Structures are given as structure tokens and as C-alpha cells.
Amino acid sequence: MATAPDVRRLPRFSRTERALHWVHASAFFVLLGSGLCLYLPSLAQLVGRRPLLKDIHVYTALAWLVALALVILAGDRRRLLADAREIEIFDDDDLGWLRRRGNPQGRFNAGQKINVIVTAALAFLFTLTGFFLWYGERNHAFRLQNALVVHDWLMYISFFLVLGHLYLSLVHRSTRHSLSGITRGWVREDWALKHHAKWAAQASPDD
Ligand code: HEM
Ligand code: HEM
């Protein structure tokens, strides 16, 4: 959509933040797709090549972890650290927002802060259970009885979390302009003032 020349833009996500998001998102969808083919008998039958799917799943997991590490090592770590500090603090406005009192929000609202924390916890637990599934086949001392059940439950939780995330970022009229931030790096100042008033008040425009 064309933006009127007098609309002010606020820089929202740096290249590093966007790279981290899209590496994580793309690997997630491949892992979800290949995982579902391993999980659902109908899909497994349709594809019919379980060993290949398992390889795709495990190598994507490995590539995902390496790519995340590379983005962190080569990217703007100071910025990521500042994000982490911001996300771990819940102030009175965040608590008010969660109670639907409409308090002004900083760069991330309280729901987004929770989304980041849950997403990071899920990534860690997927990696842990995935490792036991993979290595447990090779060394029986690492075979954990419930690793597969936990891995499946993590898939259910992340599936519905991402569904909600996609609704807010692609469909919901009032929030979907956020897509501009995670693709082009900037958002309109009027949108920012409405959704992230405390952040917009102190952010400086792009141009
Ligand atoms: C580092 C990350 C991950 C690793 C190392 C990993 C590893 C594995 C392995 C080794 C299996 C095969 C289990 C078997 O059938 O013997 C598996 C299955 C599966 N994975 Fe992952 N995985 C990871 C992340 C994910 C993610 C992010 C999802 C979904 C969003 C996912 C969904 C599934 C599903 C649905 C299955 C099939 C489970 C079943 O057959 O009941 N995995 N994973
Ligand atoms: C096509 C797929 C996706 C789209 C269009 C999308 C869109 C977005 C947008 C627009 C934002 C920025 C929101 C803001 O302005 O603050 C964002 C942030 C974020 N995304 Fe995604 N995303 C996608 C996939 C994913 C996936 C698969 C995950 C996790 C598995 C994920 C996790 C996150 C997290 C943790 C944040 C920061 C917190 C938040 O805004 O909720 N995204 N995404």
C-alpha cells in the first residue's frame, strides 16, 4: 500500500531482529510440516517416506539452531540484549494492559512480551526433547520414556500460539500494520502512537 509522503515513519525492527524472526519462523514451518507428516498416520501414508521426512526434520532442526547462533554472533547483539531487558520487565502499565484497562504500552505490549518468553521456552524444550528422541535411538542410556509425548504437546501449544500470532499480524485490521515493521523495518507514527504510545513518544522518525 502506498504511504502518503507526509506520514512519518518510526524505525521498529533492525536487520538483526528481522533476520532472527524470519530464520526462526521459516524453520518453524518446515519443522511443523515435517513433524506433522511423521505424526499423522494419514499424512505419513500419503508421503510414504518416513526415513526421508525424519532426516528433513532433524537436519532442519540443526540448521535452525546454527542459523540462530549465526544471526546472534554476526548481528547487533547490543540491540538484542536491550530487547531481552525490555521484555523481562513487566511494569504497572503492562499489568493494566493484561487486565484490559487500555494502559499505554512500550515497544512491546504485555501480550507480546509473554509471546516472546513462551516462544523461547518452547524452542528450548523442543530442542531438549528432540535431542533425546534423536540421540536416544543411538544410545539407549539417553532414551526418555515421555520425550515423544512432550514433543507432541509442545507442537500442539506452539501450533495454536502461532495461529493467534498469524491472525494478529495478517488478518486483524487494527494490528496488521505491524507487518510493515517485521518486513520493511518501520511503522507509521500514528499507528505506533495508538498501539505503543510510550515507545512512539520517545522514538525518533526515520526521515
Ligand atoms: C531442535 C528442534 C527439534 C528436534 C531436534 C526435533 C527432533 C525430532 C525427532 C528426532 C523426531 C522423531 C521421533 C521419532 O519418530 O522417532 C521428531 C518428531 C516430531 N517432531 Fe520434532 N524436533 C524439533 C523441533 C520440532 C518442532 C519445532 C516441531 C513442531 C512445531 C516438531 C514436531 C514434531 C512432531 C509432530 C514429530 C512427530 C512425533 C510423533 O511421531 O509422535 N519438532 N522430532
Ligand atoms: C508468516 C508468518 C509470520 C508472520 C507474518 C509474522 C509476523 C510478525 C510481526 C508483524 C511481528 C511484529 C509485531 C510488532 O510490531 O511488534 C512479529 C513478531 C514476533 N513473531 Fe512473528 N510472524 C510469523 C511467524 C512467526 C512464527 C512461526 C513465530 C514463532 C514460532 C513467530 C514469533 C514471533 C515473536 C516471538 C515475535 C515478537 C513478539 C510479538 O510481536 O508477538 N512469528 N511477527
Side-chain angles (χ1 to χ4, degrees), residues 12-13 21-22 24-25 28-29 112 115-116 119 162 165-166 169-170 178-179 182:
R12 180 146 177 81
F13 292 116
H21 177 267
W22 290 116
H24 187 73
F28 176 86
F29 288 122
Q112 290 178 303
N115 189 30
V116 176
T119 300
V162 168
H165 182 62
L166 292 186
S169 52
L170 295 174
S178 63
L179 197 57
I182 207 73

Side-chain angles (χ1 to χ4, degrees), residues 12 87 97 107-117 196:
R12 180 146 177 81
I87 283 160
W97 187 91
R107 184 146 171 264
F108 299 100
N109 66 38
Q112 290 178 303
K113 288 181 179 180
I114 292 172
N115 189 30
V116 176
I117 294 165
H196 302 275

Side-chain angles (χ1 to χ4, degrees), residues 31-92:
L31 288 166
L32 179 66
S34 51
L36 281 177
C37 289
L38 292 168
Y39 178 68
L40 297 170
S42 51
L43 270 182
Q45 248 174 15
L46 198 73
V47 182
R49 301 179 69 182
R50 195 176 168 90
L52 174 68
L53 285 168
K54 211 160 146 177
D55 278 351
I56 292 177
H57 193 75
V58 172
Y59 284 112
T60 306
L62 199 66
W64 168 52
L65 296 175
V66 171
L68 286 183
L70 284 180
V71 173
I72 292 170
L73 286 175
D76 184 351
R77 285 195 296 283
R78 206 179 282 184
R79 173 90 175 194
L80 295 178
L81 214 62
D83 288 342
R85 286 209 194 94
E86 199 174 335
I87 283 160
E88 69 185 22
I89 294 168
F90 280 75
D91 63 15
D92 287 345

Side-chain angles (χ1 to χ4, degrees), residues 81-154:
L81 214 62
D83 288 342
R85 286 209 194 94
E86 199 174 335
I87 283 160
E88 69 185 22
I89 294 168
F90 280 75
D91 63 15
D92 287 345
D93 283 329
D94 288 318
L95 301 178
W97 187 91
L98 286 173
R99 293 189 187 113
R100 298 184 162 271
R101 294 202 187 124
N103 298 45
Q105 294 292 283
R107 184 146 171 264
F108 299 100
N109 66 38
Q112 290 178 303
K113 288 181 179 180
I114 292 172
N115 189 30
V116 176
I117 294 165
V118 174
T119 300
L122 285 168
F124 174 74
L125 293 173
F126 265 125
T127 307
L128 195 68
T129 50
F131 170 78
F132 281 111
L133 288 172
W134 174 78
Y135 200 60
E137 273 185 3
R138 283 147 191 85
N139 181 344
H140 287 195
F142 283 83
R143 194 169 265 187
L144 277 193
Q145 205 168 15
N146 290 324
L148 197 59
V149 181
V150 177
H151 205 73
D152 288 347
W153 270 101
L154 296 174

